[in-house]
Amino acid sequence: VPQISYATDPRTSARMSRISPSGTRPELLIRRILRSIGVRYALNRMDLPGRPDIVVPSQGLAIFVHGCFWHRHSCRRGRSEPLRNRNLWMEKLERNATRDRANVRALHRIGWRVLTIWECQLKAPRTSRRLERALSVLR
Ligand SMILES: [Zn+2]
């Protein structure tokens, strides 16, 4: 897989601060599902566009686990608008979404498949069972 370089910007540090050894709760859930179905994964590949939260190397698959609000999901939470400093925030959130799309395109260009899992998809137990079935094709 060829390396691609991309400029860092101040927002990168905000993202970086999100990255902890333990990961976010939704991310931990995905990791648990992957382990339970025997899929081997790697975390936070810093060399890939957008630093996917989880990658499944055997499948060339990059997984992002996105918060609906911050990444502008089409669900209700993702379409909700901040009450204070609305314009400033909307601009910031729109930039997030634009950057996400650019990262997906960049990953596709270098031959990765991309799966975006939204926080809202993980809430109901029924949904996480569905996700478990969907991910089991990766085995
Ligand atoms: Zn959502």
PDB file of all heavy atoms in Angstrom, residues 11 14-15 18 24 65-73 75 77-80 82 88-100 118-119:
ATOM      1  N   ARG A  11      -6.876  21.338  13.535  1.00  0.00           N
ATOM      2  CA  ARG A  11      -7.954  20.437  13.946  1.00  0.00           C
ATOM      3  C   ARG A  11      -7.449  19.032  14.223  1.00  0.00           C
ATOM      4  O   ARG A  11      -8.067  18.267  14.919  1.00  0.00           O
ATOM      5  CB  ARG A  11      -9.034  20.396  12.860  1.00  0.00           C
ATOM      6  CG  ARG A  11     -10.003  21.546  12.954  1.00  0.00           C
ATOM      7  CD  ARG A  11     -10.722  21.744  11.667  1.00  0.00           C
ATOM      8  NE  ARG A  11      -9.843  22.351  10.685  1.00  0.00           N
ATOM      9  CZ  ARG A  11      -9.968  22.213   9.380  1.00  0.00           C
ATOM     10  NH1 ARG A  11     -10.921  21.487   8.900  1.00  0.00           N
ATOM     11  NH2 ARG A  11      -9.143  22.798   8.555  1.00  0.00           N
ATOM     12  N   ALA A  14      -7.141  18.234  17.759  1.00  0.00           N
ATOM     13  CA  ALA A  14      -8.397  17.908  18.416  1.00  0.00           C
ATOM     14  C   ALA A  14      -8.707  16.431  18.231  1.00  0.00           C
ATOM     15  O   ALA A  14      -9.131  15.737  19.151  1.00  0.00           O
ATOM     16  CB  ALA A  14      -9.524  18.762  17.855  1.00  0.00           C
ATOM     17  N   ARG A  15      -8.473  15.963  17.013  1.00  0.00           N
ATOM     18  CA  ARG A  15      -8.696  14.551  16.732  1.00  0.00           C
ATOM     19  C   ARG A  15      -7.737  13.683  17.530  1.00  0.00           C
ATOM     20  O   ARG A  15      -8.108  12.661  18.068  1.00  0.00           O
ATOM     21  CB  ARG A  15      -8.474  14.282  15.242  1.00  0.00           C
ATOM     22  CG  ARG A  15      -9.745  13.970  14.493  1.00  0.00           C
ATOM     23  CD  ARG A  15      -9.412  13.431  13.116  1.00  0.00           C
ATOM     24  NE  ARG A  15      -9.227  11.989  13.142  1.00  0.00           N
ATOM     25  CZ  ARG A  15     -10.238  11.133  13.153  1.00  0.00           C
ATOM     26  NH1 ARG A  15     -11.461  11.549  13.166  1.00  0.00           N
ATOM     27  NH2 ARG A  15     -10.012   9.842  13.159  1.00  0.00           N
ATOM     28  N   ARG A  18      -8.556  12.806  20.955  1.00  0.00           N
ATOM     29  CA  ARG A  18      -9.608  11.816  21.072  1.00  0.00           C
ATOM     30  C   ARG A  18      -9.028  10.399  21.127  1.00  0.00           C
ATOM     31  O   ARG A  18      -9.660   9.475  21.581  1.00  0.00           O
ATOM     32  CB  ARG A  18     -10.542  11.956  19.866  1.00  0.00           C
ATOM     33  CG  ARG A  18     -11.971  11.530  20.079  1.00  0.00           C
ATOM     34  CD  ARG A  18     -12.780  11.922  18.853  1.00  0.00           C
ATOM     35  NE  ARG A  18     -12.214  11.375  17.620  1.00  0.00           N
ATOM     36  CZ  ARG A  18     -12.386  10.117  17.232  1.00  0.00           C
ATOM     37  NH1 ARG A  18     -13.076   9.297  17.942  1.00  0.00           N
ATOM     38  NH2 ARG A  18     -11.864   9.707  16.102  1.00  0.00           N
ATOM     39  N   THR A  24     -12.826   5.137  22.206  1.00  0.00           N
ATOM     40  CA  THR A  24     -14.141   5.592  22.661  1.00  0.00           C
ATOM     41  C   THR A  24     -15.041   4.376  22.910  1.00  0.00           C
ATOM     42  O   THR A  24     -14.756   3.279  22.443  1.00  0.00           O
ATOM     43  CB  THR A  24     -14.809   6.481  21.601  1.00  0.00           C
ATOM     44  OG1 THR A  24     -14.975   5.704  20.411  1.00  0.00           O
ATOM     45  CG2 THR A  24     -13.976   7.708  21.290  1.00  0.00           C
ATOM     46  N   VAL A  65     -15.521   4.906  13.298  1.00  0.00           N
ATOM     47  CA  VAL A  65     -16.656   4.910  14.212  1.00  0.00           C
ATOM     48  C   VAL A  65     -16.927   6.378  14.526  1.00  0.00           C
ATOM     49  O   VAL A  65     -16.141   7.031  15.202  1.00  0.00           O
ATOM     50  CB  VAL A  65     -16.362   4.128  15.511  1.00  0.00           C
ATOM     51  CG1 VAL A  65     -17.608   4.044  16.368  1.00  0.00           C
ATOM     52  CG2 VAL A  65     -15.852   2.729  15.177  1.00  0.00           C
ATOM     53  N   HIS A  66     -18.019   6.888  13.963  1.00  0.00           N
ATOM     54  CA  HIS A  66     -18.269   8.323  14.037  1.00  0.00           C
ATOM     55  C   HIS A  66     -19.397   8.694  14.990  1.00  0.00           C
ATOM     56  O   HIS A  66     -20.433   8.034  15.029  1.00  0.00           O
ATOM     57  CB  HIS A  66     -18.660   8.851  12.650  1.00  0.00           C
ATOM     58  CG  HIS A  66     -17.496   9.100  11.745  1.00  0.00           C
ATOM     59  ND1 HIS A  66     -16.198   9.221  12.183  1.00  0.00           N
ATOM     60  CD2 HIS A  66     -17.451   9.268  10.398  1.00  0.00           C
ATOM     61  CE1 HIS A  66     -15.408   9.451  11.152  1.00  0.00           C
ATOM     62  NE2 HIS A  66     -16.129   9.470  10.062  1.00  0.00           N
ATOM     63  N   GLY A  67     -19.168   9.771  15.719  1.00  0.00           N
ATOM     64  CA  GLY A  67     -20.237  10.376  16.504  1.00  0.00           C
ATOM     65  C   GLY A  67     -21.156  11.119  15.543  1.00  0.00           C
ATOM     66  O   GLY A  67     -20.681  11.819  14.650  1.00  0.00           O
ATOM     67  N   CYS A  68     -22.461  10.939  15.713  1.00  0.00           N
ATOM     68  CA  CYS A  68     -23.421  11.490  14.749  1.00  0.00           C
ATOM     69  C   CYS A  68     -23.386  13.011  14.671  1.00  0.00           C
ATOM     70  O   CYS A  68     -23.446  13.579  13.586  1.00  0.00           O
ATOM     71  CB  CYS A  68     -24.832  11.027  15.098  1.00  0.00           C
ATOM     72  SG  CYS A  68     -24.982   9.236  15.009  1.00  0.00           S
ATOM     73  N   PHE A  69     -23.286  13.657  15.812  1.00  0.00           N
ATOM     74  CA  PHE A  69     -23.309  15.117  15.821  1.00  0.00           C
ATOM     75  C   PHE A  69     -22.058  15.694  15.165  1.00  0.00           C
ATOM     76  O   PHE A  69     -22.145  16.523  14.265  1.00  0.00           O
ATOM     77  CB  PHE A  69     -23.447  15.628  17.259  1.00  0.00           C
ATOM     78  CG  PHE A  69     -23.465  17.120  17.349  1.00  0.00           C
ATOM     79  CD1 PHE A  69     -24.587  17.836  16.959  1.00  0.00           C
ATOM     80  CD2 PHE A  69     -22.359  17.813  17.819  1.00  0.00           C
ATOM     81  CE1 PHE A  69     -24.607  19.227  17.031  1.00  0.00           C
ATOM     82  CE2 PHE A  69     -22.371  19.205  17.893  1.00  0.00           C
ATOM     83  CZ  PHE A  69     -23.499  19.907  17.500  1.00  0.00           C
ATOM     84  N   TRP A  70     -20.910  15.230  15.576  1.00  0.00           N
ATOM     85  CA  TRP A  70     -19.644  15.792  15.096  1.00  0.00           C
ATOM     86  C   TRP A  70     -19.370  15.515  13.632  1.00  0.00           C
ATOM     87  O   TRP A  70     -18.642  16.240  12.971  1.00  0.00           O
ATOM     88  CB  TRP A  70     -18.475  15.261  15.934  1.00  0.00           C
ATOM     89  CG  TRP A  70     -18.585  15.715  17.336  1.00  0.00           C
ATOM     90  CD1 TRP A  70     -18.972  14.972  18.413  1.00  0.00           C
ATOM     91  CD2 TRP A  70     -18.361  17.046  17.835  1.00  0.00           C
ATOM     92  NE1 TRP A  70     -19.005  15.762  19.535  1.00  0.00           N
ATOM     93  CE2 TRP A  70     -18.628  17.024  19.212  1.00  0.00           C
ATOM     94  CE3 TRP A  70     -17.955  18.239  17.229  1.00  0.00           C
ATOM     95  CZ2 TRP A  70     -18.517  18.164  20.001  1.00  0.00           C
ATOM     96  CZ3 TRP A  70     -17.840  19.366  18.015  1.00  0.00           C
ATOM     97  CH2 TRP A  70     -18.116  19.322  19.385  1.00  0.00           C
ATOM     98  N   HIS A  71     -19.938  14.428  13.151  1.00  0.00           N
ATOM     99  CA  HIS A  71     -19.649  14.068  11.759  1.00  0.00           C
ATOM    100  C   HIS A  71     -20.867  14.181  10.849  1.00  0.00           C
ATOM    101  O   HIS A  71     -20.868  13.652   9.748  1.00  0.00           O
ATOM    102  CB  HIS A  71     -19.031  12.667  11.696  1.00  0.00           C
ATOM    103  CG  HIS A  71     -17.689  12.589  12.371  1.00  0.00           C
ATOM    104  ND1 HIS A  71     -16.512  12.795  11.705  1.00  0.00           N
ATOM    105  CD2 HIS A  71     -17.362  12.375  13.668  1.00  0.00           C
ATOM    106  CE1 HIS A  71     -15.499  12.689  12.560  1.00  0.00           C
ATOM    107  NE2 HIS A  71     -15.991  12.435  13.757  1.00  0.00           N
ATOM    108  N   ARG A  72     -21.894  14.877  11.348  1.00  0.00           N
ATOM    109  CA  ARG A  72     -23.064  15.203  10.536  1.00  0.00           C
ATOM    110  C   ARG A  72     -23.746  13.998   9.894  1.00  0.00           C
ATOM    111  O   ARG A  72     -23.945  13.953   8.673  1.00  0.00           O
ATOM    112  CB  ARG A  72     -22.691  16.217   9.438  1.00  0.00           C
ATOM    113  CG  ARG A  72     -22.139  17.534   9.913  1.00  0.00           C
ATOM    114  CD  ARG A  72     -23.207  18.554  10.185  1.00  0.00           C
ATOM    115  NE  ARG A  72     -23.805  18.392  11.509  1.00  0.00           N
ATOM    116  CZ  ARG A  72     -24.865  19.055  11.938  1.00  0.00           C
ATOM    117  NH1 ARG A  72     -25.454  19.908  11.159  1.00  0.00           N
ATOM    118  NH2 ARG A  72     -25.343  18.854  13.136  1.00  0.00           N
ATOM    119  N   HIS A  73     -24.109  13.033  10.729  1.00  0.00           N
ATOM    120  CA  HIS A  73     -24.872  11.905  10.198  1.00  0.00           C
ATOM    121  C   HIS A  73     -26.250  12.394   9.761  1.00  0.00           C
ATOM    122  O   HIS A  73     -26.715  13.438  10.199  1.00  0.00           O
ATOM    123  CB  HIS A  73     -25.003  10.819  11.280  1.00  0.00           C
ATOM    124  CG  HIS A  73     -25.580   9.535  10.774  1.00  0.00           C
ATOM    125  ND1 HIS A  73     -26.329   8.705  11.563  1.00  0.00           N
ATOM    126  CD2 HIS A  73     -25.499   8.940   9.556  1.00  0.00           C
ATOM    127  CE1 HIS A  73     -26.691   7.649  10.853  1.00  0.00           C
ATOM    128  NE2 HIS A  73     -26.199   7.765   9.631  1.00  0.00           N
ATOM    129  N   CYS A  75     -28.993  11.183  10.577  1.00  0.00           N
ATOM    130  CA  CYS A  75     -30.002  10.905  11.611  1.00  0.00           C
ATOM    131  C   CYS A  75     -30.388  12.201  12.339  1.00  0.00           C
ATOM    132  O   CYS A  75     -29.827  13.257  12.089  1.00  0.00           O
ATOM    133  CB  CYS A  75     -29.494   9.861  12.601  1.00  0.00           C
ATOM    134  SG  CYS A  75     -28.185  10.470  13.685  1.00  0.00           S
ATOM    135  N   ARG A  77     -29.924  13.201  15.420  1.00  0.00           N
ATOM    136  CA  ARG A  77     -28.840  13.812  16.198  1.00  0.00           C
ATOM    137  C   ARG A  77     -27.837  14.527  15.284  1.00  0.00           C
ATOM    138  O   ARG A  77     -27.362  15.609  15.583  1.00  0.00           O
ATOM    139  CB  ARG A  77     -28.134  12.730  17.023  1.00  0.00           C
ATOM    140  CG  ARG A  77     -26.860  13.176  17.694  1.00  0.00           C
ATOM    141  CD  ARG A  77     -27.026  13.362  19.176  1.00  0.00           C
ATOM    142  NE  ARG A  77     -25.752  13.691  19.819  1.00  0.00           N
ATOM    143  CZ  ARG A  77     -25.435  14.925  20.218  1.00  0.00           C
ATOM    144  NH1 ARG A  77     -26.288  15.926  20.065  1.00  0.00           N
ATOM    145  NH2 ARG A  77     -24.281  15.170  20.795  1.00  0.00           N
ATOM    146  N   GLY A  78     -27.569  13.906  14.151  1.00  0.00           N
ATOM    147  CA  GLY A  78     -26.615  14.476  13.214  1.00  0.00           C
ATOM    148  C   GLY A  78     -27.120  15.755  12.556  1.00  0.00           C
ATOM    149  O   GLY A  78     -26.344  16.575  12.097  1.00  0.00           O
ATOM    150  N   ARG A  79     -28.442  15.898  12.510  1.00  0.00           N
ATOM    151  CA  ARG A  79     -29.000  17.092  11.886  1.00  0.00           C
ATOM    152  C   ARG A  79     -29.335  18.167  12.911  1.00  0.00           C
ATOM    153  O   ARG A  79     -29.766  19.259  12.553  1.00  0.00           O
ATOM    154  CB  ARG A  79     -30.240  16.722  11.063  1.00  0.00           C
ATOM    155  CG  ARG A  79     -29.883  16.079   9.720  1.00  0.00           C
ATOM    156  CD  ARG A  79     -31.090  15.724   8.874  1.00  0.00           C
ATOM    157  NE  ARG A  79     -31.805  14.561   9.387  1.00  0.00           N
ATOM    158  CZ  ARG A  79     -33.033  14.594   9.918  1.00  0.00           C
ATOM    159  NH1 ARG A  79     -33.692  15.728   9.997  1.00  0.00           N
ATOM    160  NH2 ARG A  79     -33.602  13.501  10.357  1.00  0.00           N
ATOM    161  N   SER A  80     -29.138  17.841  14.193  1.00  0.00           N
ATOM    162  CA  SER A  80     -29.441  18.840  15.212  1.00  0.00           C
ATOM    163  C   SER A  80     -28.409  19.968  15.154  1.00  0.00           C
ATOM    164  O   SER A  80     -27.266  19.762  14.752  1.00  0.00           O
ATOM    165  CB  SER A  80     -29.469  18.196  16.602  1.00  0.00           C
ATOM    166  OG  SER A  80     -28.166  17.789  16.967  1.00  0.00           O
ATOM    167  N   PRO A  82     -26.410  23.302  16.948  1.00  0.00           N
ATOM    168  CA  PRO A  82     -26.047  23.901  18.229  1.00  0.00           C
ATOM    169  C   PRO A  82     -26.820  25.193  18.448  1.00  0.00           C
ATOM    170  O   PRO A  82     -27.104  25.912  17.492  1.00  0.00           O
ATOM    171  CB  PRO A  82     -24.552  24.174  18.092  1.00  0.00           C
ATOM    172  CG  PRO A  82     -24.220  23.982  16.672  1.00  0.00           C
ATOM    173  CD  PRO A  82     -25.345  23.335  15.967  1.00  0.00           C
ATOM    174  N   LEU A  88     -20.792  29.564  13.612  1.00  0.00           N
ATOM    175  CA  LEU A  88     -19.431  29.104  13.826  1.00  0.00           C
ATOM    176  C   LEU A  88     -19.370  27.582  13.891  1.00  0.00           C
ATOM    177  O   LEU A  88     -18.551  26.941  13.233  1.00  0.00           O
ATOM    178  CB  LEU A  88     -18.911  29.698  15.141  1.00  0.00           C
ATOM    179  CG  LEU A  88     -17.413  29.631  15.372  1.00  0.00           C
ATOM    180  CD1 LEU A  88     -16.733  30.684  14.506  1.00  0.00           C
ATOM    181  CD2 LEU A  88     -17.111  29.872  16.844  1.00  0.00           C
ATOM    182  N   TRP A  89     -20.308  27.015  14.671  1.00  0.00           N
ATOM    183  CA  TRP A  89     -20.325  25.568  14.832  1.00  0.00           C
ATOM    184  C   TRP A  89     -20.714  24.846  13.551  1.00  0.00           C
ATOM    185  O   TRP A  89     -20.132  23.827  13.204  1.00  0.00           O
ATOM    186  CB  TRP A  89     -21.270  25.168  15.971  1.00  0.00           C
ATOM    187  CG  TRP A  89     -20.596  25.276  17.282  1.00  0.00           C
ATOM    188  CD1 TRP A  89     -20.739  26.271  18.206  1.00  0.00           C
ATOM    189  CD2 TRP A  89     -19.620  24.374  17.818  1.00  0.00           C
ATOM    190  NE1 TRP A  89     -19.929  26.031  19.277  1.00  0.00           N
ATOM    191  CE2 TRP A  89     -19.229  24.882  19.063  1.00  0.00           C
ATOM    192  CE3 TRP A  89     -19.044  23.192  17.347  1.00  0.00           C
ATOM    193  CZ2 TRP A  89     -18.284  24.244  19.859  1.00  0.00           C
ATOM    194  CZ3 TRP A  89     -18.112  22.554  18.141  1.00  0.00           C
ATOM    195  CH2 TRP A  89     -17.737  23.087  19.382  1.00  0.00           C
ATOM    196  N   MET A  90     -21.722  25.390  12.876  1.00  0.00           N
ATOM    197  CA  MET A  90     -22.170  24.725  11.649  1.00  0.00           C
ATOM    198  C   MET A  90     -21.033  24.671  10.640  1.00  0.00           C
ATOM    199  O   MET A  90     -20.855  23.678   9.937  1.00  0.00           O
ATOM    200  CB  MET A  90     -23.388  25.445  11.058  1.00  0.00           C
ATOM    201  CG  MET A  90     -24.651  25.308  11.885  1.00  0.00           C
ATOM    202  SD  MET A  90     -25.046  23.595  12.319  1.00  0.00           S
ATOM    203  CE  MET A  90     -25.670  23.002  10.752  1.00  0.00           C
ATOM    204  N   GLU A  91     -20.263  25.737  10.605  1.00  0.00           N
ATOM    205  CA  GLU A  91     -19.133  25.793   9.680  1.00  0.00           C
ATOM    206  C   GLU A  91     -18.100  24.721  10.049  1.00  0.00           C
ATOM    207  O   GLU A  91     -17.583  24.007   9.200  1.00  0.00           O
ATOM    208  CB  GLU A  91     -18.505  27.180   9.787  1.00  0.00           C
ATOM    209  CG  GLU A  91     -17.624  27.576   8.632  1.00  0.00           C
ATOM    210  CD  GLU A  91     -17.094  28.985   8.850  1.00  0.00           C
ATOM    211  OE1 GLU A  91     -17.925  29.915   8.950  1.00  0.00           O
ATOM    212  OE2 GLU A  91     -15.866  29.130   8.949  1.00  0.00           O
ATOM    213  N   LYS A  92     -17.852  24.616  11.340  1.00  0.00           N
ATOM    214  CA  LYS A  92     -16.890  23.644  11.845  1.00  0.00           C
ATOM    215  C   LYS A  92     -17.357  22.209  11.563  1.00  0.00           C
ATOM    216  O   LYS A  92     -16.589  21.368  11.100  1.00  0.00           O
ATOM    217  CB  LYS A  92     -16.738  23.858  13.354  1.00  0.00           C
ATOM    218  CG  LYS A  92     -15.582  23.132  14.010  1.00  0.00           C
ATOM    219  CD  LYS A  92     -15.591  23.474  15.500  1.00  0.00           C
ATOM    220  CE  LYS A  92     -14.726  22.506  16.305  1.00  0.00           C
ATOM    221  NZ  LYS A  92     -13.295  22.634  15.985  1.00  0.00           N
ATOM    222  N   LEU A  93     -18.644  21.965  11.821  1.00  0.00           N
ATOM    223  CA  LEU A  93     -19.192  20.622  11.610  1.00  0.00           C
ATOM    224  C   LEU A  93     -19.191  20.265  10.126  1.00  0.00           C
ATOM    225  O   LEU A  93     -18.917  19.129   9.736  1.00  0.00           O
ATOM    226  CB  LEU A  93     -20.617  20.533  12.180  1.00  0.00           C
ATOM    227  CG  LEU A  93     -20.726  20.683  13.699  1.00  0.00           C
ATOM    228  CD1 LEU A  93     -22.182  20.757  14.136  1.00  0.00           C
ATOM    229  CD2 LEU A  93     -20.005  19.550  14.422  1.00  0.00           C
ATOM    230  N   GLU A  94     -19.493  21.273   9.303  1.00  0.00           N
ATOM    231  CA  GLU A  94     -19.496  21.052   7.861  1.00  0.00           C
ATOM    232  C   GLU A  94     -18.085  20.712   7.377  1.00  0.00           C
ATOM    233  O   GLU A  94     -17.907  19.866   6.509  1.00  0.00           O
ATOM    234  CB  GLU A  94     -20.044  22.307   7.158  1.00  0.00           C
ATOM    235  CG  GLU A  94     -20.738  22.023   5.842  1.00  0.00           C
ATOM    236  CD  GLU A  94     -21.556  20.729   5.836  1.00  0.00           C
ATOM    237  OE1 GLU A  94     -22.554  20.615   6.570  1.00  0.00           O
ATOM    238  OE2 GLU A  94     -21.167  19.814   5.084  1.00  0.00           O
ATOM    239  N   ARG A  95     -17.101  21.372   7.971  1.00  0.00           N
ATOM    240  CA  ARG A  95     -15.700  21.058   7.630  1.00  0.00           C
ATOM    241  C   ARG A  95     -15.361  19.624   7.995  1.00  0.00           C
ATOM    242  O   ARG A  95     -14.683  18.924   7.258  1.00  0.00           O
ATOM    243  CB  ARG A  95     -14.739  22.016   8.350  1.00  0.00           C
ATOM    244  CG  ARG A  95     -14.410  23.269   7.574  1.00  0.00           C
ATOM    245  CD  ARG A  95     -13.091  23.885   8.054  1.00  0.00           C
ATOM    246  NE  ARG A  95     -13.024  24.072   9.495  1.00  0.00           N
ATOM    247  CZ  ARG A  95     -13.380  25.190  10.134  1.00  0.00           C
ATOM    248  NH1 ARG A  95     -13.826  26.228   9.460  1.00  0.00           N
ATOM    249  NH2 ARG A  95     -13.274  25.278  11.439  1.00  0.00           N
ATOM    250  N   ASN A  96     -15.837  19.189   9.162  1.00  0.00           N
ATOM    251  CA  ASN A  96     -15.618  17.787   9.567  1.00  0.00           C
ATOM    252  C   ASN A  96     -16.149  16.839   8.509  1.00  0.00           C
ATOM    253  O   ASN A  96     -15.468  15.914   8.083  1.00  0.00           O
ATOM    254  CB  ASN A  96     -16.360  17.470  10.876  1.00  0.00           C
ATOM    255  CG  ASN A  96     -15.642  18.012  12.100  1.00  0.00           C
ATOM    256  OD1 ASN A  96     -14.504  18.448  12.008  1.00  0.00           O
ATOM    257  ND2 ASN A  96     -16.318  17.980  13.236  1.00  0.00           N
ATOM    258  N   ALA A  97     -17.394  17.089   8.097  1.00  0.00           N
ATOM    259  CA  ALA A  97     -18.052  16.195   7.136  1.00  0.00           C
ATOM    260  C   ALA A  97     -17.319  16.215   5.794  1.00  0.00           C
ATOM    261  O   ALA A  97     -17.126  15.172   5.160  1.00  0.00           O
ATOM    262  CB  ALA A  97     -19.519  16.587   6.968  1.00  0.00           C
ATOM    263  N   THR A  98     -16.886  17.383   5.382  1.00  0.00           N
ATOM    264  CA  THR A  98     -16.155  17.512   4.118  1.00  0.00           C
ATOM    265  C   THR A  98     -14.837  16.748   4.194  1.00  0.00           C
ATOM    266  O   THR A  98     -14.459  16.030   3.270  1.00  0.00           O
ATOM    267  CB  THR A  98     -15.866  19.004   3.814  1.00  0.00           C
ATOM    268  OG1 THR A  98     -17.111  19.694   3.797  1.00  0.00           O
ATOM    269  CG2 THR A  98     -15.169  19.178   2.490  1.00  0.00           C
ATOM    270  N   ARG A  99     -14.161  16.890   5.325  1.00  0.00           N
ATOM    271  CA  ARG A  99     -12.885  16.196   5.508  1.00  0.00           C
ATOM    272  C   ARG A  99     -13.098  14.679   5.530  1.00  0.00           C
ATOM    273  O   ARG A  99     -12.311  13.929   4.974  1.00  0.00           O
ATOM    274  CB  ARG A  99     -12.216  16.674   6.795  1.00  0.00           C
ATOM    275  CG  ARG A  99     -10.763  16.231   6.915  1.00  0.00           C
ATOM    276  CD  ARG A  99     -10.100  16.829   8.141  1.00  0.00           C
ATOM    277  NE  ARG A  99     -10.873  16.508   9.326  1.00  0.00           N
ATOM    278  CZ  ARG A  99     -11.263  17.404  10.234  1.00  0.00           C
ATOM    279  NH1 ARG A  99     -10.965  18.661  10.084  1.00  0.00           N
ATOM    280  NH2 ARG A  99     -11.963  17.031  11.283  1.00  0.00           N
ATOM    281  N   ASP A 100     -14.192  14.245   6.179  1.00  0.00           N
ATOM    282  CA  ASP A 100     -14.497  12.808   6.198  1.00  0.00           C
ATOM    283  C   ASP A 100     -14.640  12.262   4.781  1.00  0.00           C
ATOM    284  O   ASP A 100     -14.107  11.201   4.456  1.00  0.00           O
ATOM    285  CB  ASP A 100     -15.809  12.542   6.958  1.00  0.00           C
ATOM    286  CG  ASP A 100     -15.667  12.783   8.456  1.00  0.00           C
ATOM    287  OD1 ASP A 100     -14.533  12.794   8.961  1.00  0.00           O
ATOM    288  OD2 ASP A 100     -16.720  12.970   9.109  1.00  0.00           O
ATOM    289  N   TRP A 118     -21.946   4.437  12.540  1.00  0.00           N
ATOM    290  CA  TRP A 118     -22.425   5.607  13.271  1.00  0.00           C
ATOM    291  C   TRP A 118     -22.835   5.221  14.681  1.00  0.00           C
ATOM    292  O   TRP A 118     -23.368   4.132  14.910  1.00  0.00           O
ATOM    293  CB  TRP A 118     -23.595   6.242  12.527  1.00  0.00           C
ATOM    294  CG  TRP A 118     -23.180   6.743  11.181  1.00  0.00           C
ATOM    295  CD1 TRP A 118     -23.269   6.080   9.991  1.00  0.00           C
ATOM    296  CD2 TRP A 118     -22.565   8.002  10.891  1.00  0.00           C
ATOM    297  NE1 TRP A 118     -22.755   6.851   8.983  1.00  0.00           N
ATOM    298  CE2 TRP A 118     -22.320   8.033   9.499  1.00  0.00           C
ATOM    299  CE3 TRP A 118     -22.199   9.102  11.676  1.00  0.00           C
ATOM    300  CZ2 TRP A 118     -21.722   9.133   8.883  1.00  0.00           C
ATOM    301  CZ3 TRP A 118     -21.608  10.190  11.053  1.00  0.00           C
ATOM    302  CH2 TRP A 118     -21.384  10.207   9.680  1.00  0.00           C
ATOM    303  N   GLU A 119     -22.585   6.158  15.572  1.00  0.00           N
ATOM    304  CA  GLU A 119     -22.896   5.947  16.984  1.00  0.00           C
ATOM    305  C   GLU A 119     -24.346   5.486  17.187  1.00  0.00           C
ATOM    306  O   GLU A 119     -24.607   4.595  17.980  1.00  0.00           O
ATOM    307  CB  GLU A 119     -22.681   7.264  17.725  1.00  0.00           C
ATOM    308  CG  GLU A 119     -22.230   7.096  19.137  1.00  0.00           C
ATOM    309  CD  GLU A 119     -21.779   8.427  19.728  1.00  0.00           C
ATOM    310  OE1 GLU A 119     -21.686   9.437  18.996  1.00  0.00           O
ATOM    311  OE2 GLU A 119     -21.539   8.441  20.937  1.00  0.00           O
TER     312      GLU A 119
END
